[in-house]
């Protein structure tokens, strides 16, 4: 863009508009190119405001801000800038209209604070005769602001301003003074029950307030004090101390929960999400849902349910300012209001949601369902569906325009490259080479490139249009259901007649209408006629195997064998073999379950001829298994043919059930699952298969033979080695050779497979062996040397309990892990040995594991005489 601007600035003044105007038009054009580019919008609005400040003409600036607000209507700082601009221009009439627009739509502290500042600036300097009215107006403004955003943790300064304003009121008589004192105490009590950022400062103010009235006693009712009905200020402070401490603790918890939100809110601009795990929107969505769930748990321990629901709804409203393009939050908020019984508020919220996301099927369906539950007229409900269908149809137009523009851009780039190549040929004087065959070759290449671009663009267009068609058809399906429930089957039939005239209609609408006719009016003839009408549209013209499969399933369900066989033969003449594979399987399954053996064998023979290439493929094996499978029983496929769970899941999904998955015979871990929104969408969380877990059964280890025990090195040599390492002295060459030999033995032990050649081993508990496997080798350690003898002596003196049952022991290599120096005098505490009866026998001074005496020889231990007597009692 900078190069473009520099060229235009260098042009003569008679051929181009003024530089400022030209720059503003450029920025405006860029906003139309990329609607969601916040940086371009920011530059466009700043430039328009700058020109308005210089020239005094506010029309362009207002238009720019209005366009900015239309794209980002929930961004608080944009409204604040708009209000500040109108205030700076002294356009008070437009400012009041602006407050009317934004206050209810944007429930945020900065916007309401601007409104409060405006009210105070207008009424603060009122004349004496209107001073009382102005004071009441300002007090009402404070109450209005705090009733809307007083639950926000950032509203603490507004609470303090309110208290300060009440405190500094002058010209009051004694009765009014008592009223203001009572109001001030009431405001303190409300503020101290809210987790505000400055709640500690408010508590200090409250402490000073109570003590300033009377350090000894204060009346219960300042308006009408009665003798003997007074309480001390200390008593009043102690009563509010618990609420204050709860609110302060809740604020600290809230600050931790909303850390992700606070970090993102400074520069946040709500844009349509791409559902990418790398996007910050997904993390913010998780954080908002976590915060809302926290509010629903009532962390402030409030006794009034209305206050709890108000806090939850304020959390929802705050979340929707940022997460405007997430229908999930809108729907959750509406469902919460419905659970509270506030149907009117839920309907208003869903109406606002539909206006924010006009193409959201979830929100429109929820609104229509709510209106239906409220017994609204069908004409009102139909408006929801009609608006949604209109928006989806306009979406098709936008998609076509987008891909047409993309195709034209690619074509222009291609022509530009061809023209540049031709110009280079002319410039080099080799234009003679382009005569004859060379020019024909280049034209053919250009046609191929054009065709390739056309193909890629059309494939992408078809894919996107297909998604829109599915959404459009789903709306008609739900629309017909609502019409049948609210009116009758005839109303749904009229809707079907409207839907099938559109090019966007898919086979789903026909199937839904046919099944609705059968199950509602019990008329098989109408249902079959609808299916036959669909055959002309989707089977004969577009060759849609899905519709034929649905039609065949319907006839099989009706037990109409003749028509089902006729439809099967018709489908084979219309569809290609690969397209009709599911139809073959469906018809064969019906013959196997309900037909004659001769028909089954004949159909199998025809199927082998149609799919002759599948003879030596896994598909043939799969069909062999399906031949004798029923529901979730696939014994032949899994046990005798060795088929994996992939085919079983595919087969169970075609059967219309999840019984194969529930049986536990399918390994779900081998399938890829979505990774985004793990804490938000529970179906994306991979859970362990508990039915595959086996109970832990400890096994007694084999008796340790003498040849498995590693010979010890005298402890004096170990001590010398440790002392040399502590003093950072070089080790003797002999010790270096020993360490090198140990490393070579370790490498050889890993390479050898025969167990007899493994190095010397020792038995330790399996859990310890797993830990040692994760530790690096001792040769890689270069840190400080700990006093091993002191550590072992300390462990030996610990009063460790003796386990009831012995844990499973596994052999590990001493040379591999070097878990201890074999020459140490206390190394034998790790070596254990079991006799044939499973009793413990320790080595070294008659001590047991970790130097502890066996239980049978300890007083009061497990298995001792005292223990046996205790068990008898």
């Amino acid at each position: 863009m900078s190069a473009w601007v520099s060229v235009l600035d260098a042009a003569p003044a008679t051929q181009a508009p003024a530089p400022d105007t030209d720059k503003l038009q450029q920025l405006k054009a860029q906003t139309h190119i990329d609607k969601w580019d916040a940086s371009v919008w920011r530059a466009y609005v700043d430039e328009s405001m700058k020109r308005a400040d210089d020239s005094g003409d506010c029309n362009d600036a207002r238009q720019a801000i209005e366009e900015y607000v239309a794209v980002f209507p929930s961004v608080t700082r944009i409204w604040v800038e708009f209000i500040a601009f109108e205030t700076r221009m002294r356009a008070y009439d437009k400012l009041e209209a602006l407050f009317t627009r934004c206050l209810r739509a944007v429930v945020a502290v900065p916007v309401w604070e601007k409104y409060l500042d405006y009210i105070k600036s207008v009424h603060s300097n009122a004349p004496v005769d209107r001073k009382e009215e102005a004071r009441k107006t300002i007090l009402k403004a404070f109450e209005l602001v705090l009733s809307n955003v007083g639950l926000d943790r950032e509203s603490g300064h507004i609470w303090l301003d309110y208290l300060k304003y009440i405190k500094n009121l002058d010209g009051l008589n004694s009765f009014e003074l008592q009223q203001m004192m009572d109001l001030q105490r009431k405001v303190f009590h409300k503020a101290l029950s809210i987790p505000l950022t400055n709640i500690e400062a408010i508590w200090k103010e409250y402490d000073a307030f109570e003590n300033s009235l009377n350090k000894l006693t204060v009346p219960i009712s300042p308006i009408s004090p009665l003798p003997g009905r007074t309480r001390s200020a200390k008593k009043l402070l102690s009563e509010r101390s618990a609420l204050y401490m709860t609110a302060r603790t809740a604020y600290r918890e809230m600050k931790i929960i909303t850390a992700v939100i606070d970090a993102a809110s400074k520069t946040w601009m709500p844009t349509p999400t791409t559902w990418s795990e790398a996007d910050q929107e997904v993390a913010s969505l998780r954080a908002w849902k976590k915060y809302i769930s926290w509010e629903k748990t009532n962390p402030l321990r409030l006794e009034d349910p209305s206050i709890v629901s108000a806090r939850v709804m304020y959390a929802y409203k705050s979340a929707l300012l940022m997460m405007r393009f997430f229908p999930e939050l809108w729907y959750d908020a509406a469902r919460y209001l419905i659970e509270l019984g506030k149907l009117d508020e839920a309907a208003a919220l869903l109406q606002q949601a539909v206006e924010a996301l006009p193409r959201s099927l979830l929100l429109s369906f929820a609104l229509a369902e709510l209106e239906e539950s409220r017994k609204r007229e069908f004409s009102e409900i139909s408006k929801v569906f009609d608006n949604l269908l209109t928006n989806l149809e306009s979406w098709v137009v936008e998609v076509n325009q987008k891909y047409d523009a993309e195709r034209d851009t690619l074509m222009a780039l291609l022509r530009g490259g061809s023209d540049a190549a031709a110009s280079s040929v002319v410039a080099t004087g080799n234009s003679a080479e382009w005569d004859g065959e060379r020019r024909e070759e280049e034209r053919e290449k250009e046609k191929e490139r054009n065709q390739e671009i056309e193909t890629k663009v059309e494939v992408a267009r078809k894919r996107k249009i297909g998604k829109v068609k599915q959404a459009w058809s789903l709306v008609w399906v739900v629309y017909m259901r609502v019409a049948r429930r609210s009116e009758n089957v005839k109303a749904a039939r009229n809707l079907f007649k409207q839907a099938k005239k559109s090019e966007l209609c898919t086979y789903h609408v026909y199937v839904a209408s046919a099944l609705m006719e059968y199950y509602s009016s019990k008329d098989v003839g109408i249902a079959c006629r609808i299916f036959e009408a669909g055959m002309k549209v989707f089977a004969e013209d577009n060759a849609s195997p899905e519709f034929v499969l649905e039609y065949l399933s319907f006839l099989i369900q009706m037990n109409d064998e003749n028509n089902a066989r006729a439809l099967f033969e018709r489908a084979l003449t219309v569809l290609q073999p690969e397209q009709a594979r599911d139809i073959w399987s469906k018809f064969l399954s019906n013959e196997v379950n309900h037909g004659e053996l001769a028909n089954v064998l004949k159909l199998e023979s025809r199927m082998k001829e149609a799919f002759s290439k599948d003879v030596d493929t896994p598909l043939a094996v799969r069909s062999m298994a399906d031949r004798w499978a029923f529901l979730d029983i696939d014994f032949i496929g899994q046990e005798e043919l060795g088929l994996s769970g992939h085919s079983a899941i595919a087969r169970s999904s075609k059967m219309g059930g999840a019984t194969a998955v529930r049986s536990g015979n399918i390994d779900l871990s081998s399938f890829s699952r979505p990774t985004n929104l793990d804490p938000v969408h529970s179906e994306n969380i991979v859970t362990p298969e508990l039915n595959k877990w086996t109970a832990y059964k400890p096994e007694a280890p084999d008796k340790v033979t003498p040849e498995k025990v590693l010979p010890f090195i005298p402890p004096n040599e170990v001590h010398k080695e440790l002392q040399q390492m502590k003093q950072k002295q070089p080790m003797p060459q002999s010790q270096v050779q020993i360490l090198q030999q140990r490393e070579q033995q370790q490498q050889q032990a890993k390479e050898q497979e025969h167990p007899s050649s493994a190095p010397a081993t020792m038995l330790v508990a399996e859990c310890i062996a797993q830990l040692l496997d994760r530790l690096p080798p001792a040769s890689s350690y270069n840190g400080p040397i700990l006093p091993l003898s002191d550590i072992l002596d300390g462990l030996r003196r610990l009063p460790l309990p003796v386990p009831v049952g012995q844990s499973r022991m596994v052999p590990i290599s001493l040379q591999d892990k070097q878990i201890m120096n074999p020459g140490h005098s206390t190394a034998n505490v790790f070596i254990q040995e079991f006799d044939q009866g499973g009793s413990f026998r320790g080595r070294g001074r008659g001590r047991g594991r970790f130097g502890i005496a066996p239980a049978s020889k300890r007083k009061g231990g497990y298995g001792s005489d005292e223990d046996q007597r205790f068990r008898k009692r």
Side-chain angles (χ1 to χ4, degrees):
M1 185 188 72
S2 59
W4 186 15
V5 174
S6 62
V7 171
L8 292 173
D9 291 341
T14 58
Q15 299 180 1
D20 290 342
T21 305
D22 183 64
K23 182 178 181 181
L24 190 64
Q25 294 300 324
Q26 293 175 25
L27 293 171
K28 185 176 181 179
Q30 291 184 13
T31 59
H32 292 291
I33 294 174
D34 189 357
K35 180 181 179 181
W36 305 107
D37 192 344
S39 60
V40 176
W41 278 107
R42 181 74 270 167
Y44 175 46
V45 172
D46 290 343
E47 182 66 24
S48 63
M49 285 186 176
K50 179 181 178 183
R51 293 181 67 247
D53 292 336
D54 296 340
S55 62
D57 186 6
C58 305
N59 293 329
D60 293 340
R62 287 195 180 100
Q63 182 181 358
I65 301 176
E66 288 288 354
E67 294 175 357
Y68 194 14
V69 168
V71 178
F72 303 100
S74 61
V75 179
T76 304
R77 57 181 178 274
I78 299 177
W79 289 103
V80 172
E81 291 178 5
F82 202 174
I83 295 170
F85 174 76
E86 296 293 358
T87 305
R88 191 166 62 251
M89 295 299 156
R90 299 181 181 275
Y92 297 112
D93 55 340
K94 295 184 178 298
L95 187 61
E96 292 180 359
L98 189 59
F99 281 130
T100 305
R101 289 174 53 191
C102 68
L103 285 180
R104 299 297 182 183
V106 184
V107 185
V109 172
V111 176
W112 283 88
E113 188 178 7
K114 287 290 183 181
Y115 165 74
L116 185 60
D117 293 342
Y118 171 74
I119 296 296
K120 289 192 295 184
S121 64
V122 171
H123 296 278
S124 294
N125 299 323
V128 178
D129 57 339
R130 302 185 60 183
K131 194 171 185 180
E132 179 68 20
E133 182 182 356
R135 185 177 65 211
K136 292 182 179 179
T137 303
I138 294 176
L139 289 175
K140 288 181 180 179
F142 269 112
E143 293 175 0
L144 178 63
V145 171
L146 291 176
S147 64
N148 283 275
V149 296
L151 298 177
D152 197 299
R153 60 176 177 173
E154 300 296 336
S155 64
H157 62 282
I158 301 180
W159 287 98
L160 282 179
D161 290 344
Y162 190 20
L163 293 167
K164 184 178 179 182
Y165 179 80
I166 298 173
K167 181 180 179 181
N168 295 333
L169 287 175
D170 53 357
L172 303 176
N173 54 38
S174 59
F175 180 76
E176 292 175 341
L177 183 61
Q178 290 292 338
Q179 281 185 324
M180 291 301 103
M181 291 173 57
D182 189 38
L183 177 61
Q184 195 171 357
R185 180 179 287 107
K186 183 179 179 181
V187 173
F188 271 121
H189 291 175
K190 287 183 178 180
L192 291 174
S193 62
I194 303 172
L196 303 171
T197 55
N198 58 346
I199 190 171
E200 295 180 356
I202 296 176
W203 174 258
K204 291 180 181 179
E205 292 287 338
Y206 178 59
D207 183 271
F209 167 76
E210 293 291 358
N211 286 283
S212 64
L213 295 180
N214 192 338
K215 293 186 177 180
L216 297 178
T217 60
V218 294
I220 293 178
S221 177
I223 298 177
S224 57
L226 296 176
R229 295 188 62 193
T230 57
R231 287 182 295 177
S232 64
K234 184 177 180 181
K235 179 66 174 178
L236 292 173
L237 291 172
S238 63
E239 290 177 355
R240 292 293 163 182
S241 176
L243 293 176
Y244 158 67
M245 295 299 295
T246 303
R248 190 177 69 170
T249 304
Y251 168 70
R252 294 175 180 175
E253 295 178 4
M254 183 193 304
K255 191 175 181 181
I256 297 173
I257 295 174
T258 60
V260 177
I261 302 172
D262 297 338
S265 61
K266 298 179 180 178
T267 59
W268 184 269
M269 300 296 287
T271 57
T273 180
T274 58
W275 289 108
S276 175
E277 191 69 22
D279 288 349
Q280 193 178 16
E281 295 177 347
V282 176
S284 299
L285 177 63
R286 293 171 180 167
W288 275 115
K289 290 181 72 68
K290 183 178 180 181
Y291 168 58
I292 293 171
S293 300
W294 179 78
E295 286 286 0
K296 289 181 179 179
T297 60
N298 190 12
L300 296 175
R301 297 191 289 275
L302 301 173
E303 298 179 357
D304 190 355
S306 61
I307 301 178
V308 178
S309 61
R311 289 194 59 86
V312 174
M313 284 310 303
Y314 186 82
Y316 271 119
K317 292 178 181 179
S318 302
L320 291 173
L321 292 179
M322 287 182 61
M323 318 305 293
R324 178 181 176 83
F325 292 96
F326 286 84
E328 180 181 356
L329 285 178
W330 291 98
Y331 182 77
D332 289 346
R335 294 303 304 175
Y336 181 74
L337 289 174
I338 293 173
E339 292 173 359
L340 296 177
K342 302 179 180 179
L343 301 182
D344 294 337
E345 295 183 17
L349 180 65
L350 285 175
Q351 186 63 45
Q352 182 183 356
V354 169
E355 294 174 359
L357 300 172
R359 294 172 184 168
S360 173
L361 274 63
L362 173 63
L363 299 178
S364 296
F365 292 166
L367 178 58
E369 187 178 89
L370 178 59
E371 296 296 340
E372 183 185 358
S373 65
R374 299 169 70 194
K375 305 300 181 182
R376 299 295 184 183
E377 294 293 334
F378 180 69
S379 58
E380 298 181 8
I381 302 174
S382 61
K383 293 178 181 179
V384 179
F385 290 101
D386 293 338
N387 293 332
L388 180 58
L389 290 170
T390 303
N391 292 322
L392 292 177
E393 290 169 359
S394 65
W395 192 7
V396 176
V397 177
E398 292 181 9
V399 170
N400 287 327
Q401 292 176 353
K402 172 187 175 182
Y403 285 103
D404 288 342
E406 183 176 351
R407 180 193 56 197
D408 296 340
T409 302
L410 294 175
M411 290 294 185
L413 293 175
L414 181 61
R415 287 194 297 270
S418 301
D419 295 341
S423 300
S424 63
V425 170
V426 173
T428 55
N430 296 330
S431 59
E433 297 180 0
W434 286 75
D435 295 337
E437 296 181 358
R438 180 64 183 276
R439 290 185 179 277
E440 187 64 26
E441 291 178 0
E442 291 298 326
R443 280 194 291 267
E444 292 295 332
K445 290 181 181 180
E446 184 177 358
K447 289 181 180 180
E448 292 178 0
R449 289 192 292 267
N450 292 342
Q451 185 63 32
E452 183 179 359
I453 291 175
E454 287 281 353
T455 303
K456 290 183 178 180
V457 172
E458 290 304 320
V459 168
R461 185 204 304 269
K462 185 177 180 180
R463 186 185 304 112
K464 189 65 176 180
I465 293 294
K467 292 291 184 181
V468 181
K469 284 184 176 181
Q470 290 180 355
W472 189 89
S473 300
L474 180 59
V475 174
W476 278 106
V477 171
V478 179
Y479 198 179
M480 290 188 295
R481 293 175 186 170
V482 175
R484 180 190 60 80
R485 294 194 299 259
S486 301
E487 297 290 318
N488 47 41
V489 180
K490 191 174 294 185
R493 191 180 302 163
N494 294 331
L495 291 177
F496 170 67
K497 292 178 181 179
Q498 298 178 28
K500 68 178 184 178
K501 296 178 183 179
S502 176
E503 297 179 354
L504 301 178
C505 183
T506 63
Y507 74 91
H508 306 82
V509 180
Y510 282 78
V511 174
S513 179
L515 295 179
M516 186 180 299
E517 291 288 349
Y518 171 72
Y519 287 107
S520 299
S521 60
K522 311 299 181 183
D523 195 336
V524 182
I526 298 178
C528 290
R529 285 198 294 270
I530 294 175
F531 273 117
E532 284 297 326
M535 283 291 295
K536 297 179 182 179
V537 178
F538 300 105
E540 298 177 0
D541 297 338
N542 299 332
S544 177
E546 296 85 0
F547 178 78
V548 179
L549 184 61
E550 294 294 336
Y551 190 9
L552 182 62
S553 300
F554 174 75
L555 293 176
I556 292 174
Q557 182 182 356
M558 295 297 101
N559 200 20
D560 193 348
E561 182 180 356
N562 295 330
N563 286 328
R565 190 176 301 277
L567 177 62
F568 174 69
E569 298 297 338
R570 287 169 57 191
L572 297 184
T573 60
V574 176
L575 303 175
Q576 299 294 329
E578 286 299 327
Q579 293 178 322
R581 185 181 291 275
D582 293 338
I583 297 174
W584 278 98
S585 300
K586 182 69 176 180
F587 197 73
L588 177 60
S589 175
N590 180 62
E591 290 290 347
V592 169
N593 294 328
H594 311 292
E596 299 294 335
L597 179 59
N599 295 335
V600 173
L601 298 177
K602 183 178 178 180
L603 191 60
E604 279 188 337
S605 177
R606 292 180 59 188
M607 193 172 180
K608 289 180 180 179
E609 294 178 1
F611 302 100
S612 57
K613 298 181 180 179
D614 296 343
V615 176
D616 298 328
T617 61
L619 291 175
V621 183
R622 180 69 263 171
S623 62
M624 187 189 309
D626 291 341
R627 175 76 159 73
W628 285 280
F630 182 72
L631 296 180
D632 62 329
I633 302 177
D634 190 24
F635 184 85
I636 295 176
Q638 295 179 4
E639 302 296 333
E640 300 184 12
L641 301 180
L643 296 177
S644 60
H646 298 73
S647 302
I649 280 198
R651 186 175 58 81
S652 64
S653 62
K654 291 180 181 179
M655 290 189 300
T659 54
V661 180
R662 291 194 299 267
S663 64
N665 298 327
I666 299 173
D667 186 12
L668 296 178
S669 61
S670 61
F671 295 91
S672 60
R673 304 174 67 95
T675 57
N676 50 349
L677 299 176
D678 292 344
V680 180
H681 302 280
S682 60
E683 66 273 10
N684 295 343
I685 304 175
V686 180
T687 56
E689 297 185 35
L690 301 179
N691 55 355
K692 291 189 176 182
W693 288 16
T694 57
Y696 173 70
K697 298 180 180 179
E699 300 175 358
D702 298 331
K703 185 176 180 180
V704 180
T705 54
E707 60 268 14
K708 292 184 179 180
V709 179
L710 190 68
F712 297 126
I713 301 176
N716 55 353
E717 296 184 8
V718 178
H719 181 72
K720 292 180 181 179
E721 180 179 357
L722 292 176
Q723 291 297 328
Q724 292 176 358
M725 296 178 68
K726 288 181 180 179
Q727 298 176 3
K728 297 183 180 180
Q729 295 179 356
M731 290 186 296
Q733 186 66 23
S734 59
Q735 188 66 20
V736 174
Q737 293 178 357
I738 292 174
L739 294 178
Q740 292 177 353
Q741 291 177 0
R742 289 181 179 177
E743 292 179 356
Q744 292 177 0
Q745 293 176 359
Q746 179 181 0
Q747 186 66 23
Q748 292 175 1
K750 291 181 179 179
E751 295 177 355
Q752 293 176 356
E753 298 181 356
H754 200 276
S756 61
S757 60
T761 59
M762 63 182 295
L763 292 178
V764 297
E766 185 179 8
C767 56
I768 299 178
Q770 293 177 0
L771 173 63
L772 296 177
D773 288 337
R774 296 188 179 99
L775 296 177
S779 59
S780 63
Y781 181 77
N782 57 359
I785 304 301
L786 300 177
L788 183 59
S789 58
D790 296 341
I791 294 175
L792 294 177
D793 291 336
L795 293 175
R796 187 167 57 249
R797 289 191 296 269
L798 287 177
L800 298 178
V802 178
V804 176
Q806 301 293 343
S807 60
R808 194 168 78 181
M809 312 297 287
V810 296
I812 66 166
S813 172
L814 292 177
Q815 296 179 357
D816 284 349
K817 291 301 174 185
Q818 295 292 328
I819 61 173
M820 59 185 174
N821 196 316
H824 198 277
S825 59
T826 59
N828 56 353
V829 299
F830 289 95
I831 301 175
Q832 299 182 5
E833 191 174 22
F834 293 86
D835 57 17
Q836 295 180 357
S839 60
F840 179 89
R841 281 198 286 174
R843 296 174 58 91
R845 300 183 183 180
R847 308 294 290 180
R849 187 183 182 189
F850 300 108
I852 303 174
S856 59
K857 297 182 180 181
R858 293 202 318 273
K859 183 177 180 180
Y862 179 83
S864 63
D865 296 336
E866 294 181 6
D867 180 75
Q868 295 295 333
R869 289 194 297 270
F870 175 77
R871 290 177 181 272
K872 291 180 180 180
R873 290 198 299 269

